[in-house]
Amino acid sequence: MQDLFLDVLGSTATKREARAYLSRFSPPEAVFQPQKITLPKNKLVGVNLGNLKLPPRAVDESPVFTQAVSNNRFVDQSIESLHVALVTIRAPQLLDDAILQGVGHTLSQLTRLGLNSAVVIDCADREKRHSLDACRVALEQGDRLVTAIDLYRDRGARRLDSVIGLSSVREQNLSSCKARGRLQITHRNLILAPLRRGVTPIIVPIAFSYDTHALVPVVADEVVLCLAQELLVLKPQGVFEEDLHKVTAKVKCLQKQISLDRIILLDSLGGIPSRETVHGSHVFINLEQEYRDIRDALQQSAEGEQHLAKRSSSSENLLNQSCSISPGSVFGAKGCNSCLAPGNGELLNRSTDYINARSHLRNLNLLKRTLEILPASSSAIIITPQEAANSGRSSELASQSLGVGTRRQKNPLIYNLLTDKPVVSSSLPSCRSQKNLTSILHSVSKPSPATFVKRGIPISIIPDPNLHPWTPPTSSPSIQLPDPRIDLTRLVHLIENSFSRKLDVDHYLSRINNRIAGVIIAGEYEGGALLTWEIPPGSPSSPAVPYLDKFAVLKRSQGAGGVADIVFKALVRDCFPNGVCWRSRKDNPVNKWYFERATGTWKIPRTSWTMFWTTEGVDKVGSTFLDYERVCTSVVPSWADKNSVVD
């Protein structure tokens, strides 16, 4: 166990991430608090009786067997530290035993690292099965996964098929119908008891119908949502007749028992597709900001593939009619089939693309519905079972291709547990993300298509570049501070907290006003950026330079939640897609993060500044480079302590 901790912490997490993981997932020690017992004093009777009046030592030290409640209090603090991941495995019947055993190994490792898994089996595929057949397949696949987990932990998993009830609509509370449908968890303790023992409950999507008194298959996604609500105690059952104060106390107690930290979706399709990344999938999705755009893109893709499939089908029908051959023809059916083969293949591909697009949309909607009811700290990840099965195995392919010794592949699920981040940062340029992904996974074949999802935080961009593109001011600036759309006090606090320095607000506003390009605010001022248009000194006729003047993240949000990535991604994608420059002290510890995201860098001679830019095609002897250097050298700091380094 110690080796596992040292291995994963030493190879996947920074010191800050390791501390954050240990502070959250380390099990608290149970505290034993014995009650002080005062023995009665012996009466003095004037005669020295020795130990005659004292109880015999053998009797005093012998064990006592009693049915009464002991006065010694055993305070078990671990009841508040049960961290749970809700896992869904799509179509396990299509996975071979090796992959399923790898998944079982990874789930066992997650349990050892403090994240207990509850797994929902989803056997829905393109085959239409009778109810009895669907139940049989679900039970068989549940047993397969139990066997796979038991290979790595004795009694490591247990299949549950009697915890879901299918009630009639008239028995449902109206407020719960939208989220829970007709499903309900009938035996909460049957799920919690194994989890507390470190046993993984495997839940098959089979419910007992109170109408027909029979077992029926149900939709796995609805089971996941129902389980999430049950674990969060959003709709407690059986406590409505009690006193209101007792109900409140009971609900709070139940809610403290479980922390639903992760939603893990294992799907052979992988992450949510994207045309903007070289590996074909979204690395990170901030639902607050990106859900609608991604949903609309998937819907358009599905509708487009469906339309093309119908056109292909119509073309095939016409081709079939034109190639109709009389029964006595010497070509027979063979000649006709050869004509139709390409059309059949195209129709099959279009149908497959349509189904895949609908499946991705289904995955996105499931995570959206689930994360909506979870705490903001919870997250989700979509990953292929093949990548999930990668539990520290040696990369034979990498060693053969690169001619080096075998190295341990880093499992994206374990990495995500330790860091609460995707394997690759979403704000990296495409060329860097591909390189970084390959180096992290030590794979030279197919990069990981995993998608990390959080409910996230909203992004406010002022002015909105979709309505008012950020262009150099001509007569009047598009924004000045103070501005009614921006809370200046909170913005100043964000900057001061991030830089650990006091800002000279008056000096700062006098310098940036009339040249502000825009302001980006993440959430409740958890992060942000202020950008300006700067005129290179000595070159009044040169075009204004897009300049990142301040990039700030609250200390409590640094290194967690992806706030910095969200702000930077909005900056380079929405605000200045053609490039921006900025500067940073040469000894700034954040420079490594900047280096990874910049297209180019330059340590300005005879200064303490390093210059960064994201603009493509900047030549270090060209006019653009010289303008960038002049701006980064001339900007005057606005700190109240006036203790700036002489440049």
Side-chain angles (χ1 to χ4, degrees):
M1 181 65 182
Q2 183 178 3
D3 292 340
L4 175 62
F5 270 97
L6 294 177
D7 181 42
V8 296
L9 289 177
S11 61
T12 61
T14 64
K15 291 182 179 179
R16 177 192 292 176
E17 291 163 348
R19 285 194 298 267
Y21 160 75
L22 291 174
S23 65
R24 181 167 176 79
F25 286 93
S26 292
E29 295 181 359
V31 181
F32 183 73
Q33 299 178 344
Q35 183 181 11
K36 293 183 179 180
I37 301 176
T38 304
L39 295 176
K41 297 181 179 180
N42 296 325
K43 282 188 176 183
L44 298 178
V45 293
V47 181
N48 185 8
L49 299 178
N51 294 332
L52 185 61
K53 288 289 184 177
L54 294 177
R57 175 180 294 181
V59 174
D60 185 58
E61 296 181 355
S62 62
V64 178
F65 300 93
T66 177
Q67 294 181 341
V69 178
S70 173
N71 290 326
N72 293 335
R73 293 178 297 161
F74 185 81
V75 182
D76 186 5
Q77 297 177 352
S78 64
I79 195 171
E80 297 185 4
S81 59
L82 183 59
H83 298 274
V84 177
L86 198 50
V87 184
T88 303
I89 301 182
R90 303 277 199 214
Q93 68 273 17
L94 303 180
L95 303 177
D96 59 36
D97 290 340
I99 295 298
L100 206 59
Q101 289 172 11
V103 171
H105 189 193
T106 298
L107 294 179
S108 299
Q109 286 184 319
L110 291 177
T111 300
R112 291 189 178 96
L113 291 171
L115 186 65
N116 302 271
S117 300
V119 184
V120 176
I121 296 291
D122 180 14
C123 296
D125 54 22
R126 301 180 187 180
E127 294 187 21
K128 295 183 178 180
R129 298 184 179 90
H130 188 271
S131 294
L132 292 179
D133 289 336
C135 292
R136 176 185 56 79
V137 172
L139 294 173
E140 289 176 353
Q141 298 308 313
D143 290 338
R144 282 186 69 208
L145 186 57
V146 169
T147 303
I149 296 175
D150 286 347
L151 288 175
Y152 302 98
R153 300 190 67 196
D154 185 30
R155 296 182 180 178
R158 174 186 175 188
R159 191 195 59 170
L160 302 178
D161 51 12
S162 57
V163 296
I164 306 171
L166 185 64
S167 61
S168 59
V169 176
R170 62 178 177 274
E171 296 175 358
Q172 281 287 320
N173 184 281
L174 291 179
S175 62
S176 66
C177 287
K178 179 180 179 181
R180 299 174 72 116
R182 299 171 60 195
L183 298 183
Q184 61 183 20
I185 303 301
T186 56
H187 300 290
R188 173 185 173 89
N189 288 334
L190 286 181
I191 300 172
L192 294 185
L195 286 172
R196 295 204 178 283
R197 298 196 306 269
V199 177
T200 301
I202 310 299
I203 302 160
V204 294
I206 300 175
F208 178 80
S209 173
Y210 295 107
D211 291 336
T212 63
H213 298 282
L215 294 177
V216 294
V218 292
V219 179
D221 289 4
E222 297 302 321
V223 175
V224 171
L225 190 63
C226 189
L227 280 170
Q229 289 203 325
E230 186 64 36
L231 293 176
L232 292 171
V233 200
L234 296 182
K235 193 66 180 178
Q237 301 177 11
V239 296
F240 300 104
E241 292 78 14
E242 300 179 12
D243 179 75
L244 179 60
H245 296 289
K246 291 182 179 179
V247 170
T248 304
K250 184 174 182 178
V251 169
K252 288 183 178 180
C253 179
L254 291 174
Q255 289 177 337
K256 287 182 178 181
Q257 295 177 8
I258 299 292
S259 176
L260 188 49
D261 298 302
R262 295 288 190 281
I263 304 296
I264 300 174
L265 185 53
L266 304 183
D267 193 327
S268 296
L269 292 177
I272 304 298
S274 170
R275 296 179 179 178
E276 298 179 358
T277 58
V278 293
H279 42 80
S281 65
H282 286 276
V283 173
F284 169 62
I285 295 177
N286 175 20
L287 289 174
E288 285 279 359
Q289 179 191 12
E290 301 174 282
Y291 169 73
R292 288 186 178 180
D293 292 339
I294 298 175
R295 179 201 61 190
D296 293 345
L298 289 174
Q299 287 178 341
Q300 291 175 5
S301 176
E303 292 169 358
E305 295 298 341
Q306 186 180 32
H307 177 67
L308 291 174
K310 290 180 178 179
R311 288 183 59 185
S312 298
S313 178
S314 300
S315 299
E316 274 192 41
N317 292 333
L318 293 175
L319 184 61
N320 188 24
Q321 294 174 8
S322 64
C323 293
S324 59
I325 301 173
S326 61
S329 172
V330 294
F331 292 100
K334 183 176 180 180
C336 184
N337 287 338
S338 64
C339 291
L340 292 179
N344 283 333
E346 182 181 359
L347 177 59
L348 180 60
N349 291 335
R350 293 298 183 188
S351 299
T352 301
D353 292 341
Y354 167 74
I355 294 173
N356 290 346
R358 299 298 302 177
S359 298
H360 285 301
L361 187 60
R362 172 192 176 194
N363 290 342
L364 180 67
N365 287 332
L366 172 62
L367 298 187
K368 172 72 161 54
R369 295 173 64 196
T370 309
L371 290 175
E372 276 181 341
I373 63 176
L374 297 184
S377 59
S378 300
S379 59
I381 184 170
I382 310 175
I383 188 173
T384 64
Q386 290 75 13
E387 283 296 328
N390 171 22
S391 302
R393 298 173 298 176
S394 297
S395 177
E396 298 178 0
L397 180 59
S399 63
Q400 293 171 2
S401 303
L402 302 177
V404 297
T406 58
R407 300 178 64 183
R408 298 178 71 84
Q409 290 187 345
K410 297 180 181 180
N411 188 297
L413 289 182
I414 295 178
Y415 182 90
N416 176 254
L417 169 63
L418 298 176
T419 64
D420 196 28
K421 296 178 181 179
V423 173
V424 177
S425 172
S426 61
S427 62
L428 285 175
S430 297
C431 58
R432 299 287 179 86
S433 64
Q434 173 69 20
K435 180 179 178 181
N436 194 35
L437 182 65
T438 302
S439 63
I440 288 178
L441 295 177
H442 308 300
S443 172
V444 296
S445 55
K446 185 179 179 180
S448 170
T451 296
F452 180 61
V453 185
K454 289 183 76 77
R455 190 174 71 194
I457 53 179
I459 290 289
S460 300
I461 303 179
I462 305 167
D464 187 344
N466 295 322
L467 302 177
H468 306 284
W470 291 12
T471 57
T474 53
S475 56
S476 61
S478 58
I479 178 175
Q480 291 220 28
L481 293 178
D483 185 281
R485 297 167 292 181
I486 299 172
D487 189 329
L488 183 59
T489 302
R490 300 179 72 181
L491 179 62
V492 171
H493 171 72
L494 167 62
I495 295 173
E496 293 179 343
N497 179 270
S498 177
F499 286 86
S500 299
R501 300 181 72 177
K502 195 74 173 176
L503 186 69
D504 186 341
V505 178
D506 293 336
H507 180 272
Y508 185 61
L509 294 182
S510 65
R511 182 177 69 80
I512 65 173
N513 268 333
N514 298 322
R515 64 181 70 185
I516 300 177
V519 179
I520 303 173
I521 301 296
E524 295 297 323
Y525 289 80
E526 298 170 56
L530 192 147
L531 299 105
T532 60
W533 292 105
E534 301 289 342
I535 303 297
S539 302
S541 60
S542 297
V545 171
Y547 179 71
L548 173 57
D549 189 88
K550 288 289 184 290
F551 186 87
V553 177
L554 289 179
K555 291 189 180 299
R556 69 167 185 263
S557 300
Q558 292 176 5
V563 176
D565 284 327
I566 291 172
V567 175
F568 195 85
K569 186 177 178 180
L571 189 160
V572 298
R573 185 189 64 180
D574 301 325
C575 302
F576 282 137
N578 295 324
V580 63
C581 74
W582 69 97
R583 71 182 186 182
S584 175
R585 299 286 180 186
K586 291 180 180 179
D587 58 351
N588 190 342
V590 184
N591 283 350
K592 180 180 182 297
W593 195 85
Y594 287 151
F595 276 116
E596 293 173 344
R597 283 150 185 80
T599 303
T601 65
W602 171 250
K603 293 185 178 180
I604 304 176
R606 297 180 298 278
T607 73
S608 61
W609 299 113
T610 297
M611 181 175 74
F612 302 87
W613 64 89
T614 62
T615 313
E616 297 289 345
V618 174
D619 190 349
K620 291 188 178 180
V621 295
S623 59
T624 302
F625 174 83
L626 295 177
D627 288 343
Y628 284 2
E629 186 181 37
R630 292 190 188 101
V631 167
C632 290
T633 305
S634 62
V635 171
V636 180
S638 298
W639 301 113
D641 54 17
K642 307 297 182 184
N643 188 25
S644 59
V645 178
V646 179
D647 300 321

